Amino acid sequence: EEPWGFVDLEKFSPPLRYVVHLFNTSPAVSLDTLYSPTPGVEKVRVLYDYMDRKTDVVIYPSNVAPLAMEKSGKELVLSLKGLERKVEGEKAGVRPSVPTFEARKKVYTGKRISLEFKNADIRDVIRILSEVSGLNFVVDPDVKGTVTVKLDNVPWDQALDVILRTNKLGKVVEEGIVRIATLKSLAQEGRAQESARKALEKTKPMVLEVIPLNFVEADKVKDLITPLLSDEGKVDYLERINSLVVKDNAERIAKIREFVKKIDTPTPQIQIGARIVEIVTTYLKELGIQWGFLWRQTKTDMSFPYSFGVGGGVTPAPATSQALTTMEGVSGWSPASIAPGYVVDLPAAVMTGSGGAIAASLLNASETFGLDIRLSALEEEGVARTVSNPKLVTLDNQEAEISQGYEIPFATVSESGTETEFKEAKLKLLVKPHITSSGDIVMDVEVSKDSPDFTHVTPDGVPIQTRSVKTSVRMKNGDTLIIGGIYEMTKSKKNNQVPGLSRIPLLSWLFRHRMENLEKRELLIFVTPTVIEAGMVQGER
């Protein structure tokens, strides 16, 4: 018997949505108004049925959660996982404005009056308000009772609402005539009108019609059409020609056609431009030394040793070691006895086109002692920049992927023999964009760059270096965003030295080779989404 007996709640899926039916209402907003999304609610759509004088509030939740509806006086509370928004309207049968999910305070615009009554007949009070408003009032015979009220400087329409609410009465305004009745009478009248409407609709002839669709899939539209059908109506779809098959009366089919016209629109396209920049900076520094000596005596005063020679034995000295090679050619000396060579042979990797070296040779006058020394140094700096610029076009809310790269072969040994398999090393861009109602673009982006590392080849094959970024972002149309960066620095120092001697203070450099290596790698990823407007040629932006 409550006024909210005019409300009904239904659940449909897919997609999951709740439909609140508000009967005996009048439109106050555009039929396709989309209210601002609320946390937990993806969107809200309001549809008005002029034929049935019914408002449908369609709620699309962002996750799977039950919707609870609680009726309390003139307030309807909808709860979705703790989220509550109040839907306000008038009492039953009042033709309220289309409710929204933000509580709105009613604005009264009537002439201000002051009232003071004690146990006054309610019919007399209503007659006074009728004279103040200038409208025609009709009071049902069931309206009885007394009024005790004291109001100062309030709009007459607000005073009327307060008096009616206090006495469990309601009103219906039609073409300048205000009808006052009990809430029970209005509720019964509303149910009777609804029953009569349904009975009348059953007498209307049924029509079978095929409605073709151009941009949306028929199986997904079918569930959206179901709430628009009459009790006798049916809907199905033909997948082969992507069309709806609707059986209902002509008026219902006309409404369905109008609805389909609004939703059967082209899906927006989005061009995703990605710029992937990889910068590799290398630095190498080497300091090396080679030195050797040869000391020999061809005749001594002893029978043993009668002659001797002492020199480096690591590596035979090259022809450029003048002191040692000169001593080797002195008559009376047997080359087979001891070959001139280096004591310390720790050079830098100097070669034609890289690094430098300086050598010195010392020999005494009697040609019994010779010393060769060679210092080498190398320093290298390098910068490599790799730029990849993949682009792709996809539909709104559709995942797209583009990739390019290598397939690296590697051998596997099993009982059946040796087999060759391939492992992918690719640059891949995976993106799923969505255009919001505000025109922003929300994207799920995954970018990966795998490359073969030929500098660390193993007997099992070529290793793959992997770099990837995965994120979700929200940005404006046409803006460019750096969604991630991977910074890697490898710093190494290496000493090749002679044990013990390399630790002698001041002389340690004579027995040591030093190498420093620094490598920096930085991966930057730039993403630019652009909505392709109708008629726009790709690449205009």
Side-chain angles (χ1 to χ4, degrees), residues 305-350:
Y306 180 73
S307 65
F308 66 87
V310 179
V314 176
T315 304
T320 54
S321 300
Q322 297 296 326
L324 304 187
T325 54
T326 299
M327 290 178 63
E328 185 180 17
V330 174
S331 60
W333 176 257
S334 174
S337 301
I338 180 171
Y342 288 128
V343 175
V344 176
D345 187 18
L346 299 172
V350 176

Side-chain angles (χ1 to χ4, degrees), residues 133-162:
S133 66
L135 300 176
N136 296 317
F137 276 58
V138 176
V139 182
D140 275 13
D142 295 337
V143 176
K144 300 175 181 179
T146 60
V147 175
T148 299
V149 64
K150 185 179 185 306
L151 298 173
D152 292 325
N153 194 29
V154 298
W156 72 264
D157 47 352
Q158 183 179 9
L160 177 62
D161 283 352
V162 171

Side-chain angles (χ1 to χ4, degrees), residues 42 56 90 129 173 184 204 210 212 341 351 427 448 481 498 539:
E42 182 177 340
D56 288 338
E90 295 289 342
L129 294 176
V173 181
K184 181 178 180 180
K204 297 179 181 179
V210 177
M351 61 184 68
L427 167 66
S448 61
L481 179 69
V498 177

Side-chain angles (χ1 to χ4, degrees), residues 263-281:
I263 65 174
D264 189 25
T265 57
T267 303
Q269 295 187 96
I270 304 172
Q271 176 179 281
I272 307 297
R275 188 176 181 87
I276 304 172
V277 181
E278 184 178 19
I279 302 174
V280 181
T281 304

Side-chain angles (χ1 to χ4, degrees), residues 514-527:
R514 309 183 77 180
M515 181 175 67
E516 296 180 6
N517 190 12
L518 177 64
E519 182 179 85
K520 299 178 182 178
R521 291 179 176 269
E522 187 171 8
L523 180 64
L524 301 175
I525 302 170
F526 304 84
V527 174

Side-chain angles (χ1 to χ4, degrees), residues 22 24-35 46-50 53-57 88-90 94-100 104:
L22 303 175
N24 195 22
T25 59
S26 59
V29 295
S30 174
L31 303 186
D32 57 355
T33 298
L34 290 175
Y35 290 91
V46 177
L47 302 173
Y48 183 73
D49 189 337
Y50 285 91
R53 292 174 57 196
K54 179 183 71 172
T55 299
D56 288 338
V57 182
E88 287 201 6
E90 295 289 342
V94 178
R95 303 178 66 188
S97 300
V98 175
T100 71
R104 295 186 304 178

Side-chain angles (χ1 to χ4, degrees), residues 265-418:
T265 57
T267 303
Q269 295 187 96
I270 304 172
Q271 176 179 281
I272 307 297
R275 188 176 181 87
I276 304 172
V277 181
E278 184 178 19
I279 302 174
V280 181
T281 304
T282 58
Y283 175 78
L284 175 64
K285 180 180 179 180
E286 282 190 64
L287 295 176
I289 187 171
Q290 295 168 286
W291 64 271
F293 72 91
L294 181 59
W295 177 34
R296 58 94 174 169
Q297 287 288 339
T298 58
K299 184 184 293 186
T300 66
D301 295 335
M302 296 179 292
S303 59
F304 180 84
Y306 180 73
S307 65
F308 66 87
V310 179
V314 176
T315 304
T320 54
S321 300
Q322 297 296 326
L324 304 187
T325 54
T326 299
M327 290 178 63
E328 185 180 17
V330 174
S331 60
W333 176 257
S334 174
S337 301
I338 180 171
Y342 288 128
V343 175
V344 176
D345 187 18
L346 299 172
V350 176
M351 61 184 68
T352 303
S354 64
I358 185 172
S361 296
L362 304 175
L363 182 65
N364 64 357
S366 60
E367 298 184 354
T368 59
F369 183 83
L371 175 65
D372 276 344
I373 184 169
R374 183 173 181 263
L375 300 176
S376 55
L378 171 65
E379 188 174 38
E380 291 182 354
E381 292 185 9
V383 177
R385 183 182 183 191
T386 304
V387 180
S388 303
N389 191 21
K391 290 184 179 181
L392 56 87
V393 176
T394 183
L395 296 176
D396 180 32
N397 218 27
Q398 295 294 320
E399 188 174 80
E401 176 184 340
I402 186 172
S403 63
Q404 64 178 16
Y406 307 92
E407 288 191 348
I408 308 299
F410 64 96
T412 57
V413 180
S414 61
E415 295 180 355
S416 59
T418 302

